[in-house]
Amino acid sequence: MQAGFLSYYDGIFNTAQDRQALIANNIANANTPGFKAMDIPFQATLAAHLTGATPPGPQYRASATVGLDGNDVALDNERIEGTQNAEQLMAAATFLHQSTADLITALRPNPSGS
Amino acid sequence: MAADIFAIAGSALDAQDSRMAAIASNLANADSIAAPGQTPYKAREVIFQPMMDSPFESQIDAQTADAGVQVAGTITSGAPSVQKYDPGNPLADSKGYVTGSNVSQVNEMVDLIDSSNSYAASVAVLQSASRVDQQILSSFQVV
């Protein structure tokens, strides 16, 4: 039994929580003049967490239409991304729950006591 | 825990709240008039600015990042005040014109809807964050 899968969940949680904070920041600045929406690339960041490299960091989304006030936050997009990210986090938490439960079961002494 | 998501969403709620207060003040004063020689009510607008100036320079790091939004200040609208011909009014000037505010009620209503949309989005962020936290907490509960 290898416990290395725990570092995988560590990577997922860290990456998804950073994304969650960035998306919250985007939504908070939906009416800020000149603000540009940011996000981090999930796969590259997760890979960096798993290999111990430096994560790539936040990057501008640069996909949406820029409004007259220089703001390019699309509220609907951010909410979609936010919901997806939250589901991902909860899925990871659910899998982690099952994995640790299995680990605990394996660690328990023989219940029949023989 | 990464940069406190509750603080970020909270700052957004605060900012939108002060924006809605300014809109309410504008709408309340939309029909106010001024005596000749006095300055009539000018519409106010709240300007936001990000708390984090250049996120590119420092990696969003859990403890140090200071994300969110704050109110940078309030500007008064430079739109011309409404002049209405109403010689019977006690506040009318010598030519019979009354000076009103420069509030555009249509603009204010559009602003209000925009603001309340942003507010609702931030509330949704709060709800999903607390749902995720609950789920993570329960995932560490091993029977």
Side-chain angles (χ1 to χ4, degrees), chain B residues 26 44 51 125:
Chain B
N26 290 344
R44 287 174 196 144
M51 283 187 192
V125 167

PDB file of all heavy atoms in Angstrom, chain B residues 26 44 51 125:
ATOM      1  N   ASN B  26     -29.050  58.985  -5.144  1.00  0.00           N
ATOM      2  CA  ASN B  26     -29.324  59.686  -6.400  1.00  0.00           C
ATOM      3  C   ASN B  26     -30.806  59.654  -6.740  1.00  0.00           C
ATOM      4  O   ASN B  26     -31.394  60.678  -7.115  1.00  0.00           O
ATOM      5  CB  ASN B  26     -28.535  59.049  -7.538  1.00  0.00           C
ATOM      6  CG  ASN B  26     -27.056  59.316  -7.419  1.00  0.00           C
ATOM      7  OD1 ASN B  26     -26.651  60.195  -6.671  1.00  0.00           O
ATOM      8  ND2 ASN B  26     -26.265  58.564  -8.130  1.00  0.00           N
ATOM      9  N   ARG B  44     -24.025  61.087  -7.849  1.00  0.00           N
ATOM     10  CA  ARG B  44     -22.740  60.554  -7.373  1.00  0.00           C
ATOM     11  C   ARG B  44     -22.538  59.165  -7.912  1.00  0.00           C
ATOM     12  O   ARG B  44     -23.490  58.400  -8.073  1.00  0.00           O
ATOM     13  CB  ARG B  44     -22.715  60.518  -5.851  1.00  0.00           C
ATOM     14  CG  ARG B  44     -22.572  61.903  -5.310  1.00  0.00           C
ATOM     15  CD  ARG B  44     -22.682  61.965  -3.829  1.00  0.00           C
ATOM     16  NE  ARG B  44     -22.906  63.382  -3.516  1.00  0.00           N
ATOM     17  CZ  ARG B  44     -23.680  63.809  -2.556  1.00  0.00           C
ATOM     18  NH1 ARG B  44     -24.296  62.953  -1.800  1.00  0.00           N
ATOM     19  NH2 ARG B  44     -23.835  65.083  -2.360  1.00  0.00           N
ATOM     20  N   MET B  51      -7.868  45.515  -4.887  1.00  0.00           N
ATOM     21  CA  MET B  51      -6.947  45.634  -3.760  1.00  0.00           C
ATOM     22  C   MET B  51      -5.550  45.201  -4.160  1.00  0.00           C
ATOM     23  O   MET B  51      -4.557  45.634  -3.611  1.00  0.00           O
ATOM     24  CB  MET B  51      -7.420  44.755  -2.600  1.00  0.00           C
ATOM     25  CG  MET B  51      -8.556  45.332  -1.828  1.00  0.00           C
ATOM     26  SD  MET B  51      -8.866  44.343  -0.403  1.00  0.00           S
ATOM     27  CE  MET B  51     -10.433  44.997   0.109  1.00  0.00           C
ATOM     28  N   VAL B 125     -20.871  32.905  -4.793  1.00  0.00           N
ATOM     29  CA  VAL B 125     -19.504  32.466  -4.484  1.00  0.00           C
ATOM     30  C   VAL B 125     -19.407  32.045  -3.025  1.00  0.00           C
ATOM     31  O   VAL B 125     -18.838  30.991  -2.703  1.00  0.00           O
ATOM     32  CB  VAL B 125     -18.501  33.590  -4.790  1.00  0.00           C
ATOM     33  CG1 VAL B 125     -17.151  33.279  -4.186  1.00  0.00           C
ATOM     34  CG2 VAL B 125     -18.364  33.797  -6.275  1.00  0.00           C
TER      35      VAL B 125
END
